[in-house]
Amino acid sequence: MKNIKIQATLLVFALVCATGCTKLEQDWHDKVVPETFFKSKKDVEAALFRPFTHARWYMGEDRWALQEYPADQFAISTKGRHWYNGGENERFHYHRWTPDDGWIWGTWRGTLMGVALALDTKQDLEKVDYEALALTPADKEAHINQLNTLIAFFFMRGLDYFGGMPLFESLDIEAPPRNTDQETFDHVEKLLKDALDKIPAKTAGQKEEGAISKAAVAALLARLYFNAEAYTGQARFGDAAILCQEIIDQKYGPYSLDATWYGPHSFNNDTSPEIIWSIPSELNYLQYDWFFNFFYHYNTVKNFDTEGSPWNGTHLTPSKKPDGSSYRSDFKLGSPFEKFEDADLRKRQYKYLGGDRYEGMFIVGEHLTPSGEPILGGEEYKDLPLTFIDQVARFTEVGPGKEYASISELPSTMSEGEENTGIRLVKVPIPNNADRSRRWAADNPVIRLAEIYYMLAECKFRAGDGAGAASLINAVRERNFEETDPNPVTAANLDEYRMLDEWGIEFLGEGRRRTDLIRWNKFTTETWWDHTPTSDHLKRFPIPTQAISGNNSLEQNPGYE
């Protein structure tokens, strides 16, 4: 049965993702069908959570890339002979992507595959006699609606990336055309509203283990309304605010802000009261680790005192020009590291302290081993101590007989990086080899209560309640300082850019920046480091060439024809 199910899943993948067809004809052998295969609660739960493993993959890699690299906080600069990648990284930074780009194709097919996997499981579980397995009709209703919520999640992400999606509620539909933006929005809304009353709330002290709770449904519906204006042209901030306030008031379960900044991201974040929905992670099992190779220098394993072979790619966009002056006088967006207050506990150098304890979340400045020995470079700084800088430029090409006579002549662009270029984010703690069993013990937060606070704050700000908005943001900010917050949000200093700064600081690297910029109409209209305004049609990605080739009923997005 396991092999049959895998074959069926692969058929879903092939048809949905490669040819645009969603028809699934399962060939059940020896009368092993859903009605007879499920023998226990364990069998049911194993089937239920299979689509959630796809969600784990979906939360990173290409989907993260489409949210962060075209925005103002992250980049993969070309570092000498490394990372030009056929110009892919520059295309996304400069908003020059095409329907043939792999990140776009991977996201389109991954979105529809998620829907298909959830539908496949839903159709199986609908046929199961739950009472015969000592389960209740309420259990069945909750399971089916968890899958409906997962389907809504994937369709909502597709709406965010591409606009209207090809909607299907059965795996027996061939080559469906795209529905409109509004139809996709309405479909997602209906699935979530129907599920809201049918999924139980998490109880006090219950660990977050990946299942979708009542609060997660409410939070996803709030997200839908929060970004509705970008999706359909109709603002729904009032509806988002109502749901956010209800979540904060614990109508959907006992959630509260974590007392520490690291609680929602730490090794034991499954017990954090702030986590509303997360994807479990464990060493050698559903590891939340896709970023490790992309983010860190080849020799950073010596700093972590662990093993691995990182690729030295992703870094924060720079806050400083080659001459050391700040970009903040030039651009209102970007400069993510400099947006953190110096007293912010998160701004410290990342250091693992042992016993699941750590501090800071950046690799910046001198790169040292745990014993304090300098870590040496292997490219431009071969055999020299590495120092990670908040700048992008070819400093090794300055001097007598070299390319540039002085630092003042240095350009700072996507093509001008070196091996120590850019500050690196360590949002997921990495233990040393002594605690290797704790590696990747931190789950991947999908929704946390801080997001609900910030959504409600933005809704209040848009409604003219600056003081109410400031109070909500400061409730989150205060945990980031040993003493008093040196720069709290006030009604006087809160404007649209400060609001975006607060989103960018709290949720740095959590795969949402593009959506936030679009909601404020900044994604295609603003300037940041090595990026100038682009065309409005780029708020949506194109439908991939491979998708249209396999399903000629799919219409391309405007501007990409």
Side-chain angles (χ1 to χ4, degrees):
M1 175 63 182
K2 180 178 179 182
N3 289 334
I4 295 171
K5 292 295 291 178
I6 290 173
Q7 290 168 8
T9 297
L10 290 176
L11 182 58
V12 172
F13 176 87
L15 294 176
V16 172
C17 303
T19 70
C21 172
T22 62
K23 185 173 182 180
L24 175 66
E25 295 177 355
Q26 296 175 341
D27 185 14
W28 302 105
H29 299 285
D30 298 325
K31 297 183 180 178
V32 180
V33 294
E35 299 93 317
T36 60
F37 169 72
F38 293 96
K39 300 295 185 183
S40 67
K41 177 182 178 181
K42 184 177 180 181
D43 293 335
V44 169
E45 290 180 342
L48 172 65
F49 287 109
R50 168 62 188 92
F52 286 80
T53 65
H54 180 76
R56 180 208 64 82
W57 166 82
Y58 187 86
M59 287 299 298
E61 303 189 31
D62 293 352
R63 274 63 51 205
W64 190 95
L66 293 190
Q67 284 285 52
E68 299 290 357
Y69 294 134
D72 63 322
Q73 294 188 307
F74 287 90
I76 304 179
S77 61
T78 300
K79 302 173 185 65
R81 61 195 178 98
H82 298 290
W83 281 107
Y84 178 67
N85 274 22
E88 178 180 50
N89 304 319
E90 293 186 4
R91 285 199 303 277
F92 281 88
H93 186 82
Y94 298 137
H95 292 191
R96 298 172 185 165
W97 50 76
T98 75
D100 297 317
D101 272 301
W103 292 345
I104 294 172
W105 166 237
T107 297
W108 173 268
R109 71 177 183 175
T111 300
L112 293 182
M113 183 182 178
V115 173
L117 286 169
L119 274 174
D120 184 33
T121 301
K122 176 186 171 182
Q123 291 177 356
D124 281 354
L125 295 186
E126 284 176 334
K127 300 171 184 175
V128 173
D129 184 349
Y130 268 55
E131 294 182 80
L133 303 178
L135 293 165
T136 69
D139 291 328
K140 185 170 188 175
E141 185 175 62
H143 290 173
I144 295 302
N145 280 281
Q146 281 199 58
L147 294 166
N148 282 338
T149 300
L150 200 56
I151 290 166
F153 168 76
F154 286 119
F155 274 135
M156 182 164 64
R157 296 311 305 148
L159 176 63
D160 189 276
Y161 289 120
F162 302 104
M165 296 295 291
L167 301 177
F168 53 98
E169 299 181 77
S170 165
L171 297 176
D172 194 31
I173 300 174
E174 294 189 20
R178 293 179 69 190
N179 290 76
T180 66
D181 299 348
Q182 187 66 57
E183 288 169 342
T184 305
F185 182 97
D186 292 344
H187 185 62
V188 172
E189 181 185 32
K190 183 179 186 303
L191 287 171
L192 294 175
K193 289 176 74 173
D194 288 349
L196 188 56
D197 294 329
K198 298 172 182 174
I199 293 179
K202 192 160 61 175
T203 57
Q206 183 179 350
K207 285 187 176 182
E208 169 52 40
E209 297 180 332
I212 292 174
S213 66
K214 185 182 292 290
V217 181
L220 288 173
L221 189 56
R223 274 188 186 179
L224 181 70
Y225 293 147
F226 190 55
N227 293 290
E229 189 171 20
Y231 297 158
T232 67
Q234 180 183 357
R236 300 282 296 273
F237 292 107
D239 293 324
I242 291 170
L243 283 163
C244 289
Q245 188 65 66
E246 289 176 342
I247 295 169
I248 292 170
D249 291 342
Q250 302 190 345
K251 177 178 178 179
Y252 304 108
Y255 301 90
S256 60
L257 292 174
D258 203 293
T260 66
W261 70 264
Y262 52 81
H265 310 287
S266 70
F267 299 95
N268 300 304
N269 62 344
D270 57 340
T271 64
S272 171
E274 185 170 318
I275 299 296
I276 293 175
W277 180 30
S278 65
I279 305 296
S281 175
E282 186 179 342
L283 181 64
N284 295 324
Y285 181 71
L286 296 179
Q287 292 181 181
Y288 174 31
D289 64 352
W290 66 268
F291 49 84
F292 181 81
N293 287 335
F294 285 95
F295 283 22
Y296 306 126
H297 187 277
Y298 325 111
N299 292 335
T300 293
V301 292
K302 298 178 182 178
N303 174 267
F304 291 148
D305 185 25
T306 189
E307 70 285 332
S309 301
W311 303 334
N312 196 26
T314 304
H315 56 82
L316 302 189
T317 54
S319 303
K320 298 183 182 298
K321 303 174 187 178
D323 66 8
S325 60
S326 176
Y327 279 119
R328 293 183 70 178
S329 60
D330 298 339
F331 317 125
K332 292 184 177 180
L333 297 179
S335 301
F337 186 69
E338 211 169 77
K339 296 287 176 66
F340 285 79
E341 299 296 324
D342 288 342
D344 194 317
L345 295 169
R346 297 168 294 181
K347 200 175 184 179
R348 295 178 178 177
Q349 178 86 260
Y350 172 78
K351 184 177 181 180
Y352 182 67
L353 303 174
D356 284 0
R357 298 175 301 112
Y358 65 100
E359 65 181 21
M361 66 178 199
F362 294 104
I363 294 176
V364 56
E366 290 183 294
H367 211 34
L368 306 173
T369 66
S371 62
E373 296 297 316
I375 296 172
L376 307 182
E379 297 289 335
E380 293 89 354
Y381 297 91
K382 184 174 174 60
D383 299 329
L384 296 173
L386 274 175
T387 298
F388 287 95
I389 57 177
D390 196 10
Q391 296 159 290
V392 176
R394 301 285 298 172
F395 289 98
T396 55
E397 297 181 4
V398 176
K402 295 187 177 181
E403 186 74 17
Y404 304 101
S406 67
I407 286 177
S408 64
E409 297 179 11
L410 281 175
S412 182
T413 69
M414 284 287 290
S415 63
E416 302 296 329
E418 295 184 320
E419 66 175 307
N420 68 334
T421 286
I423 292 170
R424 315 303 169 89
L425 176 68
V426 190
K427 198 132 195 186
V428 179
I430 299 171
N432 58 23
N433 273 323
D435 286 344
R436 190 180 185 281
S437 64
R438 300 296 290 150
R439 197 174 189 192
W440 314 128
D443 294 345
N444 183 358
V446 183
I447 306 170
R448 52 193 182 94
L449 189 63
E451 177 186 356
I452 308 304
Y453 271 68
Y454 276 46
M455 281 200 287
L456 183 55
E458 184 173 318
C459 291
K460 286 181 178 291
F461 171 71
R462 289 174 179 271
D465 182 6
S471 177
L472 287 160
I473 296 170
N474 289 332
V476 180
R477 280 181 60 96
E478 64 183 14
R479 66 188 179 191
N480 302 315
F481 305 94
E482 286 183 330
E483 306 296 337
T484 304
D485 183 348
N487 185 25
V489 178
T490 67
N493 67 25
L494 183 59
D495 60 12
E496 57 190 339
Y497 291 102
R498 178 71 189 258
M499 189 74 238
L500 275 170
D501 283 350
E502 294 303 326
W503 277 112
I505 292 167
E506 178 63 29
F507 294 92
L508 181 66
E510 295 190 39
R512 61 171 299 129
R513 188 61 173 175
R514 168 187 157 274
T515 299
D516 291 333
L517 293 180
I518 289 174
R519 191 176 60 256
W520 281 104
N521 196 32
K522 307 296 185 191
F523 183 63
T524 59
T525 61
E526 290 279 329
T527 299
W528 52 84
W529 172 76
D530 198 28
H531 178 91
T532 55
T534 54
S535 172
D536 198 55
H537 79 276
L538 296 166
K539 291 177 180 177
R540 299 276 174 82
F541 290 110
I543 308 305
T545 299
Q546 287 177 265
I548 294 176
S549 296
N551 179 0
N552 58 19
S553 67
L554 295 175
E555 293 185 8
Q556 185 56 273
N557 278 329
Y560 295 107
E561 294 88 346

